[in-house]
Amino acid sequence: MNQADLSKLVSALRIAVKPKPRLLSCPEGPAGRLKKLRATVTALVKYERIELNYPRADEAQGYAERLISDAIRNGDCHKHTMEMADYWLNEKQLVHKLFKVLVPRYQNYNSSFTRLVLGPKTYPGYYAGTAILELKGNPFPALQPENHNYHYWLHNVLLEEAKKEFRSAREERNAGTTESVTTES
C-alpha cells in the first residue's frame, strides 16, 4: 500500500501555539488586530530582529513560524502558500526574501525558526513587558552570550582546592572536639 509522507501533509510547528488568539486591545477591532500582526510579521521578515511588547511578539511568533513552515514545506509554486505570503507580508519584495533567503536557511532546521527573548526591565519604573523577537541565523550579534565552562580556569581550580582543604580541616577539628567530649564524660 502506498502511503503519503506525513511531513508533507501536516504542518509541524516547533513552538506551542495557543488555541485561542490573544486579546490584543485595538480600537479598530479584529481587523485592526490583524493589521498590527501583519505589520509585525512584515517587520520581522524585513529586519530579522524587532523589539516590541511581549503579548504581540508572542502572538506574531506563531504566525511567522507558520508562514516559514508552509514556505519550506510547499515552496513558491504552491498557490495557497503564495496567497498566505502575499497576505502576511505587506511589502511584496519580502515574498522574494522569504522564498530565496529564509527557506534555504531553515531547510534543515530541527528547531523553531524564531527566538523570543524577554527585554530588559527598566528600573525604576513600570515594567512594560518588552520582548525581542528574532529570526534564528540572523547577521546580528547574539542577544544572550554563550555559556562557557569556567570550571577549569586557574583561579577556579585553586579556589576549589582551597575549599576542599578548608572543609577537611574543619571536619578533622570537629571530629577532634567530639572525641574529647566523649572521653571526658
Side-chain angles (χ1 to χ4, degrees):
M1 184 167 180
N2 189 7
Q3 292 187 353
D5 183 19
L6 283 179
S7 66
K8 294 289 185 184
L9 299 175
V10 179
S11 177
L13 292 181
R14 293 164 180 93
I15 62 164
V17 177
K18 295 174 178 39
K20 293 175 80 175
R22 283 186 184 269
L23 298 175
L24 301 174
S25 62
C26 184
E28 299 171 8
R33 175 184 172 276
L34 280 176
K35 185 178 173 183
K36 281 184 179 180
L37 288 172
R38 286 175 61 194
T40 303
V41 171
T42 300
L44 179 64
V45 172
K46 183 176 184 179
Y47 300 114
E48 298 191 18
R49 180 185 286 174
I50 55 174
E51 182 177 350
L52 61 162
N53 60 4
Y54 179 79
R56 192 187 324 171
D58 188 36
E59 184 79 12
Q61 183 183 20
Y63 291 110
E65 288 278 341
R66 179 64 186 260
L67 180 65
I68 295 170
S69 174
D70 284 351
I72 290 171
R73 193 175 74 235
N74 298 322
D76 58 353
C77 296
H78 192 250
K79 181 182 176 190
H80 178 69
T81 305
M82 287 301 291
E83 288 174 357
M84 291 302 294
D86 190 47
Y87 177 77
W88 282 103
L89 301 173
N90 294 333
E91 299 175 20
K92 301 312 167 203
Q93 68 268 20
L94 295 178
V95 175
H96 177 74
K97 180 178 181 179
L98 174 69
F99 288 106
K100 301 299 179 193
V101 176
L102 298 180
V103 167
R105 182 191 302 173
Y106 299 125
Q107 194 72 41
N108 298 321
Y109 261 51
N110 293 329
S111 62
S112 64
F113 313 119
T114 58
R115 181 181 298 118
L116 184 63
V117 180
L118 291 177
K121 295 180 180 180
T122 56
Y123 180 80
Y126 172 71
Y127 175 58
T130 59
I132 295 118
L133 181 62
E134 67 176 356
L135 294 174
K136 290 182 179 177
N138 61 30
F140 303 113
L143 289 173
Q144 297 171 329
E146 296 179 19
N147 292 334
H148 296 287
N149 186 4
Y150 300 114
H151 182 70
Y152 295 110
W153 284 18
L154 179 62
H155 60 278
N156 289 336
V157 171
L158 293 173
L159 283 172
E160 192 65 35
E161 290 302 318
K163 284 182 199 176
K164 287 179 184 176
E165 288 179 15
F166 175 76
R167 288 180 186 139
S168 64
R170 186 177 58 190
E171 288 175 5
E172 289 175 7
R173 188 179 66 233
N174 289 342
T177 57
T178 56
E179 288 178 7
S180 64
V181 170
T182 55
T183 55
E184 291 176 5
S185 40

